[in-house]
Amino acid sequence: MNTPFRVLQRITADGKSATRAGERCEMCAEQIADEHQHVVNVEGRQLMCVCRSCYLLFVDQDAALRYRAVPDRYLAFPGFTISQGEWDALEIPVGLAFFFRNSALGRTVAFYPGPAGATESELPLAQWNSILERHPELDVLAADVEALLIRVPDRGTAAASCLLLPIDTCYEFVGRIRLLWRGFDGGQDVRRYLDEFFATVSARARRGGAV
């Protein structure tokens, strides 16, 4: 039976990246390149590798479709702030998590990485909604296919950052952290990867709220 988070479980179980190339499109069996696009099976919570033609069938995010194309949108929110009290109220035990709207459940869900892979957090929706009310520019996620990645570094919430990323990028990110994790806190390799990842995607992102 498929759970709402089947794809995350698959990644953390076998240690493979969600963007690892398949040989053929999972819809039409057309051969695809290493760099290819993805769609999400909304009902089964599965990420599927597809060719360009199949991908374009599902780009309308407002349509009531079983599949949704993962867009290639990266946004940064330089005005984002969060207090230590707000972060603690989300009940996430580490300083890193991603949040996405699960249309099958009808609510936002949160995951944080660790040595066993991605762990779902029981997100207190009232506290999350209060953050969105203060930062309405964050409330632009396409359901199921985009996520907000929030990082609160060890030096405190004053250095917190928030990015909007494609969901397949988040899956790859979590899988990579699992592979690199050493010891209690992840080790130097994880910290180095976090810095490199955020620098790379921040450079790619445009400012959230910009036209």
Side-chain angles (χ1 to χ4, degrees), residues 126-194:
Q127 283 75 13
W128 175 248
N129 288 336
S130 70
I131 294 174
L132 293 182
E133 288 173 4
R134 191 163 60 79
H135 285 293
E137 69 275 13
L138 302 181
D139 197 15
V140 294
L141 288 174
D144 304 299
V145 293
E146 293 182 323
L148 290 172
L149 180 62
I150 297 178
R151 183 186 185 189
V152 179
D154 293 339
R155 59 186 181 275
T157 54
S161 58
C162 179
L163 296 164
L164 182 149
L165 306 175
I167 196 69
D168 53 3
T169 299
C170 290
Y171 291 159
E172 181 181 13
F173 173 69
V174 169
R176 183 64 175 166
I177 287 178
R178 178 184 181 275
L179 291 177
L180 293 173
W181 195 281
R182 299 292 183 273
F184 177 75
D185 63 354
Q188 186 61 39
D189 287 346
V190 165
R191 289 189 288 274
R192 184 182 303 110
Y193 173 66
L194 287 177

Short mmCIF file of all heavy atoms in Angstrom, two decimals, residues 126-194:
data_model
loop_
_atom_site.label_atom_id
_atom_site.label_comp_id
_atom_site.label_asym_id
_atom_site.label_seq_id
_atom_site.Cartn_x
_atom_site.Cartn_y
_atom_site.Cartn_z
N ALA A 126 -1.53 25.63 13.44
CA ALA A 126 -1.81 26.99 13.90
C ALA A 126 -0.52 27.82 13.94
O ALA A 126 -0.50 28.98 13.52
CB ALA A 126 -2.47 26.95 15.28
N GLN A 127 0.54 27.20 14.43
CA GLN A 127 1.83 27.91 14.50
C GLN A 127 2.39 28.17 13.10
O GLN A 127 2.94 29.23 12.83
CB GLN A 127 2.82 27.10 15.34
CG GLN A 127 2.60 27.19 16.83
CD GLN A 127 1.41 26.37 17.30
OE1 GLN A 127 0.88 25.55 16.56
NE2 GLN A 127 0.98 26.59 18.53
N TRP A 128 2.25 27.19 12.21
CA TRP A 128 2.72 27.37 10.83
C TRP A 128 1.93 28.46 10.14
O TRP A 128 2.51 29.32 9.45
CB TRP A 128 2.61 26.05 10.07
CG TRP A 128 2.95 26.17 8.62
CD1 TRP A 128 2.10 26.03 7.56
CD2 TRP A 128 4.23 26.47 8.06
NE1 TRP A 128 2.78 26.21 6.37
CE2 TRP A 128 4.09 26.49 6.65
CE3 TRP A 128 5.50 26.72 8.60
CZ2 TRP A 128 5.15 26.75 5.78
CZ3 TRP A 128 6.56 26.98 7.75
CH2 TRP A 128 6.38 27.00 6.36
N ASN A 129 0.63 28.47 10.31
CA ASN A 129 -0.20 29.49 9.67
C ASN A 129 0.11 30.89 10.19
O ASN A 129 -0.01 31.87 9.44
CB ASN A 129 -1.68 29.16 9.88
CG ASN A 129 -2.14 27.97 9.05
OD1 ASN A 129 -1.54 27.64 8.02
ND2 ASN A 129 -3.18 27.29 9.51
N SER A 130 0.51 30.99 11.44
CA SER A 130 0.87 32.31 11.98
C SER A 130 2.12 32.85 11.30
O SER A 130 2.25 34.06 11.09
CB SER A 130 1.06 32.24 13.49
OG SER A 130 2.23 31.52 13.83
N ILE A 131 3.04 31.96 10.93
CA ILE A 131 4.24 32.39 10.19
C ILE A 131 3.84 32.85 8.79
O ILE A 131 4.34 33.87 8.29
CB ILE A 131 5.26 31.25 10.14
CG1 ILE A 131 5.80 30.95 11.54
CG2 ILE A 131 6.43 31.60 9.20
CD1 ILE A 131 6.70 29.73 11.61
N LEU A 132 2.93 32.13 8.15
CA LEU A 132 2.48 32.53 6.82
C LEU A 132 1.73 33.85 6.85
O LEU A 132 1.81 34.65 5.91
CB LEU A 132 1.58 31.44 6.22
CG LEU A 132 2.24 30.11 5.88
CD1 LEU A 132 1.22 29.17 5.24
CD2 LEU A 132 3.44 30.28 4.97
N GLU A 133 1.00 34.10 7.92
CA GLU A 133 0.29 35.37 8.04
C GLU A 133 1.29 36.53 8.14
O GLU A 133 1.04 37.62 7.62
CB GLU A 133 -0.62 35.34 9.27
CG GLU A 133 -1.83 34.44 9.11
CD GLU A 133 -2.62 34.30 10.38
OE1 GLU A 133 -2.25 34.97 11.40
OE2 GLU A 133 -3.60 33.52 10.40
N ARG A 134 2.40 36.30 8.81
CA ARG A 134 3.41 37.34 8.94
C ARG A 134 4.25 37.46 7.68
O ARG A 134 4.80 38.52 7.39
CB ARG A 134 4.30 37.04 10.16
CG ARG A 134 5.21 38.18 10.56
CD ARG A 134 5.75 37.99 11.96
NE ARG A 134 6.51 36.77 12.11
CZ ARG A 134 7.78 36.62 11.72
NH1 ARG A 134 8.41 37.61 11.11
NH2 ARG A 134 8.41 35.48 11.92
N HIS A 135 4.38 36.36 6.95
CA HIS A 135 5.14 36.34 5.70
C HIS A 135 4.26 35.82 4.57
O HIS A 135 4.44 34.70 4.08
CB HIS A 135 6.38 35.44 5.83
CG HIS A 135 7.48 36.04 6.63
ND1 HIS A 135 8.20 37.13 6.22
CD2 HIS A 135 8.00 35.67 7.83
CE1 HIS A 135 9.13 37.42 7.12
NE2 HIS A 135 9.02 36.56 8.11
N PRO A 136 3.29 36.61 4.10
CA PRO A 136 2.38 36.12 3.05
C PRO A 136 3.09 35.79 1.74
O PRO A 136 2.56 35.04 0.92
CB PRO A 136 1.39 37.28 2.88
CG PRO A 136 2.11 38.48 3.41
CD PRO A 136 2.97 37.98 4.52
N GLU A 137 4.29 36.33 1.54
CA GLU A 137 5.03 36.03 0.31
C GLU A 137 5.44 34.56 0.23
O GLU A 137 5.75 34.05 -0.85
CB GLU A 137 6.28 36.92 0.20
CG GLU A 137 7.38 36.63 1.21
CD GLU A 137 7.22 37.31 2.54
OE1 GLU A 137 6.11 37.84 2.82
OE2 GLU A 137 8.18 37.34 3.33
N LEU A 138 5.40 33.86 1.38
CA LEU A 138 5.75 32.44 1.37
C LEU A 138 4.61 31.56 0.89
O LEU A 138 4.83 30.40 0.51
CB LEU A 138 6.16 31.99 2.79
CG LEU A 138 7.32 32.70 3.46
CD1 LEU A 138 7.58 32.08 4.83
CD2 LEU A 138 8.57 32.65 2.60
N ASP A 139 3.40 32.08 0.91
CA ASP A 139 2.22 31.28 0.63
C ASP A 139 1.96 31.20 -0.87
O ASP A 139 0.88 31.56 -1.36
CB ASP A 139 1.02 31.87 1.36
CG ASP A 139 -0.15 30.89 1.46
OD1 ASP A 139 0.07 29.68 1.23
OD2 ASP A 139 -1.26 31.34 1.76
N VAL A 140 2.96 30.72 -1.61
CA VAL A 140 2.88 30.66 -3.07
C VAL A 140 3.20 29.26 -3.61
O VAL A 140 3.37 29.07 -4.81
CB VAL A 140 3.82 31.69 -3.73
CG1 VAL A 140 3.37 33.10 -3.41
CG2 VAL A 140 5.28 31.48 -3.29
N LEU A 141 3.26 28.29 -2.73
CA LEU A 141 3.64 26.95 -3.14
C LEU A 141 2.61 26.31 -4.06
O LEU A 141 1.41 26.38 -3.81
CB LEU A 141 3.79 26.04 -1.92
CG LEU A 141 4.98 26.24 -1.00
CD1 LEU A 141 4.85 25.32 0.21
CD2 LEU A 141 6.28 25.96 -1.73
N ALA A 142 3.09 25.66 -5.11
CA ALA A 142 2.24 24.78 -5.89
C ALA A 142 2.14 23.46 -5.12
O ALA A 142 3.16 22.85 -4.76
CB ALA A 142 2.85 24.54 -7.27
N ALA A 143 0.92 23.03 -4.84
CA ALA A 143 0.71 21.83 -4.02
C ALA A 143 1.41 20.62 -4.62
O ALA A 143 1.44 20.43 -5.84
CB ALA A 143 -0.78 21.55 -3.89
N ASP A 144 2.04 19.83 -3.76
CA ASP A 144 2.65 18.54 -4.08
C ASP A 144 3.98 18.63 -4.81
O ASP A 144 4.75 17.66 -4.78
CB ASP A 144 1.71 17.66 -4.92
CG ASP A 144 0.36 17.43 -4.26
OD1 ASP A 144 0.34 16.86 -3.16
OD2 ASP A 144 -0.66 17.84 -4.83
N VAL A 145 4.27 19.73 -5.48
CA VAL A 145 5.44 19.75 -6.36
C VAL A 145 6.48 20.80 -5.98
O VAL A 145 7.55 20.85 -6.59
CB VAL A 145 5.01 19.97 -7.83
CG1 VAL A 145 4.23 18.75 -8.34
CG2 VAL A 145 4.19 21.24 -7.99
N GLU A 146 6.20 21.63 -4.99
CA GLU A 146 7.16 22.62 -4.51
C GLU A 146 7.19 22.59 -2.99
O GLU A 146 6.21 22.21 -2.34
CB GLU A 146 6.81 24.03 -4.98
CG GLU A 146 6.94 24.22 -6.48
CD GLU A 146 6.62 25.65 -6.91
OE1 GLU A 146 5.71 26.27 -6.31
OE2 GLU A 146 7.26 26.13 -7.86
N ALA A 147 8.32 23.01 -2.42
CA ALA A 147 8.47 23.00 -0.96
C ALA A 147 9.23 24.23 -0.51
O ALA A 147 10.03 24.81 -1.26
CB ALA A 147 9.20 21.74 -0.50
N LEU A 148 8.98 24.63 0.73
CA LEU A 148 9.77 25.67 1.39
C LEU A 148 10.81 24.99 2.26
O LEU A 148 10.47 24.20 3.14
CB LEU A 148 8.88 26.57 2.25
CG LEU A 148 7.92 27.49 1.52
CD1 LEU A 148 6.99 28.17 2.53
CD2 LEU A 148 8.67 28.55 0.71
N LEU A 149 12.06 25.28 2.01
CA LEU A 149 13.16 24.73 2.80
C LEU A 149 13.66 25.82 3.73
O LEU A 149 14.13 26.88 3.28
CB LEU A 149 14.28 24.25 1.88
CG LEU A 149 15.51 23.63 2.56
CD1 LEU A 149 15.13 22.38 3.33
CD2 LEU A 149 16.57 23.31 1.51
N ILE A 150 13.56 25.60 5.04
CA ILE A 150 13.98 26.58 6.04
C ILE A 150 15.17 26.02 6.81
O ILE A 150 15.15 24.88 7.27
CB ILE A 150 12.84 26.91 7.01
CG1 ILE A 150 11.67 27.57 6.25
CG2 ILE A 150 13.33 27.84 8.13
CD1 ILE A 150 10.47 27.91 7.13
N ARG A 151 16.19 26.86 6.93
CA ARG A 151 17.39 26.49 7.67
C ARG A 151 17.61 27.48 8.80
O ARG A 151 17.60 28.69 8.58
CB ARG A 151 18.61 26.47 6.75
CG ARG A 151 19.89 26.01 7.45
CD ARG A 151 21.09 26.16 6.54
NE ARG A 151 22.30 25.61 7.15
CZ ARG A 151 23.52 25.76 6.65
NH1 ARG A 151 23.70 26.43 5.52
NH2 ARG A 151 24.57 25.24 7.26
N VAL A 152 17.80 26.96 10.00
CA VAL A 152 18.15 27.77 11.17
C VAL A 152 19.53 27.29 11.63
O VAL A 152 19.64 26.27 12.30
CB VAL A 152 17.12 27.62 12.30
CG1 VAL A 152 17.52 28.47 13.51
CG2 VAL A 152 15.73 28.04 11.81
N PRO A 153 20.60 27.98 11.27
CA PRO A 153 21.95 27.52 11.60
C PRO A 153 22.21 27.51 13.11
O PRO A 153 21.44 28.09 13.90
CB PRO A 153 22.85 28.56 10.90
CG PRO A 153 21.99 29.21 9.88
CD PRO A 153 20.61 29.21 10.46
N ASP A 154 23.30 26.89 13.48
CA ASP A 154 23.67 26.80 14.89
C ASP A 154 23.83 28.17 15.53
O ASP A 154 23.65 28.33 16.74
CB ASP A 154 24.97 26.00 15.06
CG ASP A 154 24.80 24.54 14.69
OD1 ASP A 154 23.64 24.06 14.70
OD2 ASP A 154 25.81 23.88 14.39
N ARG A 155 24.19 29.16 14.73
CA ARG A 155 24.40 30.49 15.29
C ARG A 155 23.11 31.24 15.58
O ARG A 155 23.15 32.36 16.07
CB ARG A 155 25.30 31.32 14.37
CG ARG A 155 24.79 31.52 12.96
CD ARG A 155 25.85 32.24 12.13
NE ARG A 155 25.43 32.50 10.77
CZ ARG A 155 25.53 31.64 9.76
NH1 ARG A 155 26.04 30.43 9.98
NH2 ARG A 155 25.16 31.99 8.55
N GLY A 156 21.95 30.62 15.31
CA GLY A 156 20.69 31.18 15.75
C GLY A 156 19.74 31.61 14.66
O GLY A 156 20.09 31.62 13.48
N THR A 157 18.50 31.97 15.07
CA THR A 157 17.46 32.30 14.11
C THR A 157 17.72 33.60 13.37
O THR A 157 17.11 33.84 12.32
CB THR A 157 16.09 32.39 14.82
OG1 THR A 157 16.18 33.32 15.91
CG2 THR A 157 15.67 31.02 15.36
N ALA A 158 18.61 34.44 13.88
CA ALA A 158 18.93 35.67 13.16
C ALA A 158 19.55 35.37 11.81
O ALA A 158 19.49 36.20 10.90
CB ALA A 158 19.87 36.54 13.99
N ALA A 159 20.16 34.20 11.66
CA ALA A 159 20.79 33.80 10.40
C ALA A 159 19.92 32.83 9.61
O ALA A 159 20.39 32.20 8.66
CB ALA A 159 22.15 33.15 10.69
N ALA A 160 18.63 32.71 9.96
CA ALA A 160 17.74 31.77 9.29
C ALA A 160 17.53 32.17 7.82
O ALA A 160 17.59 33.35 7.47
CB ALA A 160 16.39 31.71 10.01
N SER A 161 17.27 31.18 6.98
CA SER A 161 17.01 31.44 5.57
C SER A 161 15.88 30.55 5.09
O SER A 161 15.61 29.48 5.66
CB SER A 161 18.26 31.20 4.73
OG SER A 161 18.73 29.87 4.89
N CYS A 162 15.22 30.99 4.02
CA CYS A 162 14.09 30.25 3.47
C CYS A 162 14.16 30.28 1.95
O CYS A 162 14.36 31.35 1.36
CB CYS A 162 12.78 30.86 3.96
SG CYS A 162 11.29 30.04 3.33
N LEU A 163 13.99 29.13 1.33
CA LEU A 163 14.01 29.00 -0.12
C LEU A 163 12.80 28.19 -0.59
O LEU A 163 12.38 27.25 0.10
CB LEU A 163 15.28 28.28 -0.59
CG LEU A 163 16.61 28.97 -0.32
CD1 LEU A 163 17.74 27.98 -0.47
CD2 LEU A 163 16.80 30.14 -1.28
N LEU A 164 12.27 28.53 -1.75
CA LEU A 164 11.27 27.71 -2.40
C LEU A 164 11.97 26.90 -3.48
O LEU A 164 12.67 27.45 -4.32
CB LEU A 164 10.17 28.58 -3.01
CG LEU A 164 9.01 27.84 -3.69
CD1 LEU A 164 7.71 28.65 -3.57
CD2 LEU A 164 9.28 27.53 -5.16
N LEU A 165 11.77 25.57 -3.44
CA LEU A 165 12.48 24.66 -4.34
C LEU A 165 11.52 23.65 -4.95
O LEU A 165 10.48 23.33 -4.37
CB LEU A 165 13.56 23.88 -3.57
CG LEU A 165 14.59 24.68 -2.77
CD1 LEU A 165 15.48 23.72 -1.98
CD2 LEU A 165 15.41 25.55 -3.68
N PRO A 166 11.88 23.09 -6.11
CA PRO A 166 11.13 21.96 -6.64
C PRO A 166 11.20 20.78 -5.68
O PRO A 166 12.22 20.57 -5.01
CB PRO A 166 11.85 21.63 -7.96
CG PRO A 166 12.60 22.88 -8.31
CD PRO A 166 12.98 23.50 -7.01
N ILE A 167 10.14 20.01 -5.58
CA ILE A 167 10.10 18.93 -4.61
C ILE A 167 11.14 17.86 -4.92
O ILE A 167 11.69 17.23 -4.01
CB ILE A 167 8.68 18.31 -4.53
CG1 ILE A 167 8.51 17.47 -3.28
CG2 ILE A 167 8.35 17.52 -5.78
CD1 ILE A 167 8.49 18.26 -2.00
N ASP A 168 11.48 17.64 -6.20
CA ASP A 168 12.49 16.63 -6.50
C ASP A 168 13.87 17.06 -6.01
O ASP A 168 14.69 16.23 -5.60
CB ASP A 168 12.51 16.25 -7.98
CG ASP A 168 12.63 17.43 -8.92
OD1 ASP A 168 12.76 18.58 -8.45
OD2 ASP A 168 12.60 17.21 -10.15
N THR A 169 14.13 18.37 -6.01
CA THR A 169 15.39 18.87 -5.46
C THR A 169 15.46 18.60 -3.96
O THR A 169 16.52 18.24 -3.43
CB THR A 169 15.53 20.38 -5.74
OG1 THR A 169 15.54 20.59 -7.15
CG2 THR A 169 16.81 20.94 -5.14
N CYS A 170 14.34 18.75 -3.27
CA CYS A 170 14.30 18.47 -1.83
C CYS A 170 14.53 16.98 -1.56
O CYS A 170 15.23 16.62 -0.61
CB CYS A 170 12.96 18.90 -1.25
SG CYS A 170 12.74 20.68 -1.17
N TYR A 171 13.95 16.12 -2.38
CA TYR A 171 14.15 14.69 -2.20
C TYR A 171 15.63 14.32 -2.39
O TYR A 171 16.20 13.53 -1.63
CB TYR A 171 13.31 13.91 -3.22
CG TYR A 171 11.82 13.96 -2.98
CD1 TYR A 171 10.93 13.69 -4.01
CD2 TYR A 171 11.30 14.28 -1.73
CE1 TYR A 171 9.56 13.72 -3.81
CE2 TYR A 171 9.93 14.33 -1.53
CZ TYR A 171 9.07 14.04 -2.56
OH TYR A 171 7.72 14.08 -2.36
N GLU A 172 16.24 14.90 -3.42
CA GLU A 172 17.65 14.65 -3.65
C GLU A 172 18.50 15.16 -2.48
O GLU A 172 19.44 14.50 -2.04
CB GLU A 172 18.10 15.32 -4.94
CG GLU A 172 19.57 15.08 -5.27
CD GLU A 172 20.01 15.78 -6.53
OE1 GLU A 172 19.27 16.64 -7.04
OE2 GLU A 172 21.10 15.46 -7.02
N PHE A 173 18.16 16.33 -1.99
CA PHE A 173 18.85 16.95 -0.86
C PHE A 173 18.82 16.04 0.37
O PHE A 173 19.85 15.77 1.00
CB PHE A 173 18.18 18.29 -0.58
CG PHE A 173 18.65 19.01 0.65
CD1 PHE A 173 19.92 19.56 0.71
CD2 PHE A 173 17.79 19.17 1.73
CE1 PHE A 173 20.33 20.24 1.84
CE2 PHE A 173 18.20 19.86 2.85
CZ PHE A 173 19.47 20.40 2.92
N VAL A 174 17.64 15.53 0.70
CA VAL A 174 17.49 14.66 1.87
C VAL A 174 18.26 13.36 1.69
O VAL A 174 18.93 12.87 2.61
CB VAL A 174 16.00 14.38 2.13
CG1 VAL A 174 15.83 13.27 3.17
CG2 VAL A 174 15.29 15.64 2.61
N GLY A 175 18.18 12.78 0.49
CA GLY A 175 18.91 11.54 0.25
C GLY A 175 20.41 11.71 0.36
O GLY A 175 21.11 10.83 0.88
N ARG A 176 20.91 12.84 -0.12
CA ARG A 176 22.35 13.11 -0.03
C ARG A 176 22.81 13.28 1.40
O ARG A 176 23.87 12.78 1.79
CB ARG A 176 22.67 14.38 -0.85
CG ARG A 176 24.14 14.73 -0.89
CD ARG A 176 24.96 13.67 -1.59
NE ARG A 176 26.34 14.07 -1.72
CZ ARG A 176 27.32 13.23 -2.05
NH1 ARG A 176 27.04 11.94 -2.29
NH2 ARG A 176 28.55 13.65 -2.16
N ILE A 177 22.01 13.97 2.22
CA ILE A 177 22.36 14.13 3.63
C ILE A 177 22.44 12.77 4.32
O ILE A 177 23.36 12.52 5.12
CB ILE A 177 21.34 15.04 4.33
CG1 ILE A 177 21.54 16.49 3.88
CG2 ILE A 177 21.46 14.94 5.85
CD1 ILE A 177 20.55 17.46 4.48
N ARG A 178 21.51 11.89 4.02
CA ARG A 178 21.53 10.57 4.64
C ARG A 178 22.83 9.83 4.31
O ARG A 178 23.43 9.18 5.17
CB ARG A 178 20.34 9.75 4.17
CG ARG A 178 20.32 8.33 4.76
CD ARG A 178 19.18 7.51 4.18
NE ARG A 178 19.17 6.19 4.76
CZ ARG A 178 19.88 5.16 4.32
NH1 ARG A 178 20.67 5.33 3.26
NH2 ARG A 178 19.81 3.98 4.90
N LEU A 179 23.26 9.92 3.07
CA LEU A 179 24.48 9.23 2.66
C LEU A 179 25.72 9.80 3.35
O LEU A 179 26.68 9.06 3.65
CB LEU A 179 24.65 9.32 1.14
CG LEU A 179 23.64 8.54 0.30
CD1 LEU A 179 23.89 8.79 -1.18
CD2 LEU A 179 23.69 7.06 0.61
N LEU A 180 25.71 11.10 3.61
CA LEU A 180 26.88 11.75 4.19
C LEU A 180 26.91 11.72 5.72
O LEU A 180 27.95 11.97 6.32
CB LEU A 180 26.93 13.23 3.75
CG LEU A 180 27.18 13.50 2.26
CD1 LEU A 180 27.02 14.99 1.96
CD2 LEU A 180 28.57 13.01 1.85
N TRP A 181 25.79 11.41 6.35
CA TRP A 181 25.66 11.56 7.80
C TRP A 181 26.64 10.66 8.56
O TRP A 181 26.75 9.47 8.29
CB TRP A 181 24.24 11.23 8.22
CG TRP A 181 23.92 11.69 9.62
CD1 TRP A 181 24.26 11.08 10.79
CD2 TRP A 181 23.18 12.85 9.98
NE1 TRP A 181 23.78 11.79 11.86
CE2 TRP A 181 23.12 12.89 11.39
CE3 TRP A 181 22.56 13.87 9.25
CZ2 TRP A 181 22.45 13.91 12.09
CZ3 TRP A 181 21.91 14.87 9.93
CH2 TRP A 181 21.86 14.89 11.33
N ARG A 182 27.33 11.27 9.52
CA ARG A 182 28.23 10.55 10.40
C ARG A 182 28.06 11.06 11.82
O ARG A 182 27.95 12.27 12.05
CB ARG A 182 29.70 10.76 9.98
CG ARG A 182 30.04 10.25 8.59
CD ARG A 182 29.98 8.73 8.49
NE ARG A 182 30.38 8.27 7.18
CZ ARG A 182 29.57 8.14 6.13
NH1 ARG A 182 28.28 8.47 6.26
NH2 ARG A 182 30.02 7.70 4.97
N GLY A 183 28.04 10.14 12.79
CA GLY A 183 27.99 10.52 14.18
C GLY A 183 26.65 11.09 14.61
O GLY A 183 25.62 10.88 13.99
N PHE A 184 26.69 11.84 15.71
CA PHE A 184 25.47 12.35 16.32
C PHE A 184 24.86 13.52 15.54
O PHE A 184 23.65 13.62 15.38
CB PHE A 184 25.75 12.79 17.76
CG PHE A 184 24.57 13.41 18.45
CD1 PHE A 184 23.52 12.61 18.90
CD2 PHE A 184 24.50 14.78 18.65
CE1 PHE A 184 22.42 13.18 19.53
CE2 PHE A 184 23.40 15.35 19.28
CZ PHE A 184 22.36 14.55 19.72
N ASP A 185 25.71 14.43 15.06
CA ASP A 185 25.22 15.66 14.45
C ASP A 185 25.42 15.74 12.93
O ASP A 185 25.24 16.79 12.33
CB ASP A 185 25.86 16.88 15.11
CG ASP A 185 27.38 16.92 14.91
OD1 ASP A 185 27.93 15.94 14.35
OD2 ASP A 185 27.99 17.91 15.31
N GLY A 186 25.81 14.62 12.32
CA GLY A 186 25.99 14.60 10.88
C GLY A 186 27.43 14.70 10.44
O GLY A 186 27.81 14.17 9.40
N GLY A 187 28.24 15.43 11.21
CA GLY A 187 29.65 15.52 10.88
C GLY A 187 29.98 16.65 9.93
O GLY A 187 29.11 17.35 9.41
N GLN A 188 31.26 16.79 9.68
CA GLN A 188 31.75 17.89 8.86
C GLN A 188 31.28 17.79 7.41
O GLN A 188 31.02 18.81 6.76
CB GLN A 188 33.28 17.92 8.91
CG GLN A 188 33.91 19.11 8.20
CD GLN A 188 33.47 20.43 8.82
OE1 GLN A 188 33.36 20.54 10.04
NE2 GLN A 188 33.22 21.43 7.99
N ASP A 189 31.16 16.58 6.89
CA ASP A 189 30.72 16.44 5.50
C ASP A 189 29.31 16.98 5.29
O ASP A 189 29.02 17.62 4.27
CB ASP A 189 30.78 14.97 5.07
CG ASP A 189 32.20 14.48 4.86
OD1 ASP A 189 33.10 15.33 4.79
OD2 ASP A 189 32.39 13.26 4.78
N VAL A 190 28.42 16.73 6.25
CA VAL A 190 27.06 17.24 6.15
C VAL A 190 27.05 18.77 6.24
O VAL A 190 26.38 19.44 5.46
CB VAL A 190 26.15 16.63 7.24
CG1 VAL A 190 24.85 17.43 7.38
CG2 VAL A 190 25.82 15.19 6.90
N ARG A 191 27.82 19.31 7.17
CA ARG A 191 27.86 20.77 7.32
C ARG A 191 28.41 21.44 6.06
O ARG A 191 27.91 22.48 5.61
CB ARG A 191 28.68 21.15 8.55
CG ARG A 191 27.98 20.81 9.87
CD ARG A 191 28.71 21.40 11.05
NE ARG A 191 29.95 20.70 11.32
CZ ARG A 191 30.05 19.61 12.06
NH1 ARG A 191 28.96 19.08 12.62
NH2 ARG A 191 31.23 19.04 12.28
N ARG A 192 29.44 20.82 5.47
CA ARG A 192 30.01 21.37 4.24
C ARG A 192 29.00 21.29 3.09
O ARG A 192 28.84 22.24 2.32
CB ARG A 192 31.28 20.61 3.87
CG ARG A 192 32.01 21.17 2.65
CD ARG A 192 33.23 20.35 2.29
NE ARG A 192 34.17 20.26 3.40
CZ ARG A 192 34.42 19.15 4.09
NH1 ARG A 192 33.81 18.01 3.78
NH2 ARG A 192 35.29 19.15 5.07
N TYR A 193 28.30 20.15 3.01
CA TYR A 193 27.29 19.99 1.96
C TYR A 193 26.15 21.01 2.11
O TYR A 193 25.69 21.58 1.12
CB TYR A 193 26.73 18.57 1.98
CG TYR A 193 25.57 18.36 1.04
CD1 TYR A 193 25.74 18.45 -0.34
CD2 TYR A 193 24.30 18.10 1.53
CE1 TYR A 193 24.67 18.27 -1.21
CE2 TYR A 193 23.22 17.93 0.67
CZ TYR A 193 23.41 18.01 -0.69
OH TYR A 193 22.35 17.85 -1.55
N LEU A 194 25.71 21.24 3.34
CA LEU A 194 24.65 22.21 3.57
C LEU A 194 25.06 23.59 3.08
O LEU A 194 24.28 24.28 2.41
CB LEU A 194 24.30 22.27 5.06
CG LEU A 194 23.53 21.09 5.65
CD1 LEU A 194 23.33 21.28 7.14
CD2 LEU A 194 22.19 20.92 4.96
#
